[in-house]
Amino acid sequence: MPVQPEEVVGSLPMNALAREQCRCGLAAEVLQSQGTLQVRTTGVSMLPTLWPGDLVTIRSHTLQQAKPGEIVLYRREGRFFIHRSVKKFRLGEELLLITRGDSMPKDDPPVCAGELLGKVTEIRRQGRLMTPSRRLSLLRLILGQILCHSDLSQRVALRLHSRRSADSGLSLTGQHA
């Protein structure tokens, strides 16, 4: 990964990784203290369910409460991940959760109770409010696999999505709302 230029915050130099870890830490504290948090998505691992720029509402949620199919937020190594819960299992005394992005080929390493922060309860996209489904339709499942295995398909889908997003932000006069 290329090194990002340093930015001075206060009197302390911070690189991109340190800034991201700080942001995640603050967001996790807000979620734990307030019980809810809104986060804008940036990655592509949850295509076609979540698109870059979607605003998701996260509610505090424990590993004991997690159910297969829910979209959950966890923090690992100072970064947030929003992936779908696949299954829960016990290893000795520890309860673990397996997650995977909808367009990812493999499961993530197990999530422990201390890493799980919450679950996605709402998705806001282009002014529309949606409730995430615990089950992927056959069409979304197939689309997720295509996007997982074809960089070209992923680039085309993202380009079409960004054009549609830009078009929906225009008012009748052609100016941004």
Side-chain angles (χ1 to χ4, degrees):
M1 177 163 90
V3 176
Q4 299 294 321
E6 291 190 349
E7 172 181 324
V8 176
V9 176
S11 62
L12 301 172
M14 293 181 71
N15 63 27
L17 178 60
R19 281 193 313 274
E20 181 66 18
Q21 289 175 340
C22 185
R23 262 185 281 200
C24 287
L26 288 171
E29 284 182 39
V30 168
L31 182 58
Q32 290 167 347
S33 66
Q34 302 297 315
T36 189
L37 175 71
Q38 288 193 324
V39 177
R40 189 151 315 268
T41 59
T42 58
V44 295
S45 65
M46 281 298 290
L47 292 175
T49 304
L50 297 175
W51 291 83
D54 285 352
L55 184 65
V56 294
T57 300
I58 312 285
R59 295 231 187 276
S60 188
H61 201 59
T62 66
L63 198 84
Q64 291 79 9
Q65 296 169 313
K67 295 181 178 82
E70 292 177 330
I71 300 172
V72 298
L73 169 73
Y74 66 93
R75 185 172 77 172
R76 178 172 287 154
E77 297 175 8
R79 293 184 53 217
F80 278 160
F81 294 87
I82 298 175
H83 282 174
R84 190 174 299 276
S85 168
V86 176
K87 67 180 175 181
K88 223 175 5 178
F89 70 98
R90 199 169 281 288
L91 184 62
E93 294 295 312
E94 189 172 24
L95 189 60
L96 299 168
L97 185 67
I98 299 295
T99 61
R100 179 178 49 237
D102 288 353
S103 65
M104 298 302 290
K106 299 188 298 186
D107 293 342
D108 303 324
V111 176
C112 67
E115 295 173 316
L116 186 69
L117 298 171
K119 76 172 185 173
V120 174
T121 58
E122 294 177 342
I123 303 165
R124 185 171 299 275
R125 179 182 306 139
Q126 301 170 353
R128 292 185 332 214
L129 189 62
M130 300 169 276
T131 303
S133 173
R134 284 181 50 199
R135 304 195 101 210
L136 280 177
S137 68
L138 182 59
L139 177 62
R140 284 183 182 267
L141 191 60
I142 291 169
L143 186 54
Q145 289 302 306
I146 291 169
L147 295 171
C148 169
H149 296 288
S150 169
D151 289 340
L152 176 61
S153 296
Q154 190 178 90
R155 285 193 309 271
V156 168
L158 289 169
R159 171 90 30 108
L160 290 172
H161 176 73
S162 69
R163 283 187 180 163
R164 190 172 46 163
S165 295
D167 290 344
S168 71
L170 297 176
S171 68
L172 293 176
T173 62
Q175 300 297 315
H176 286 281

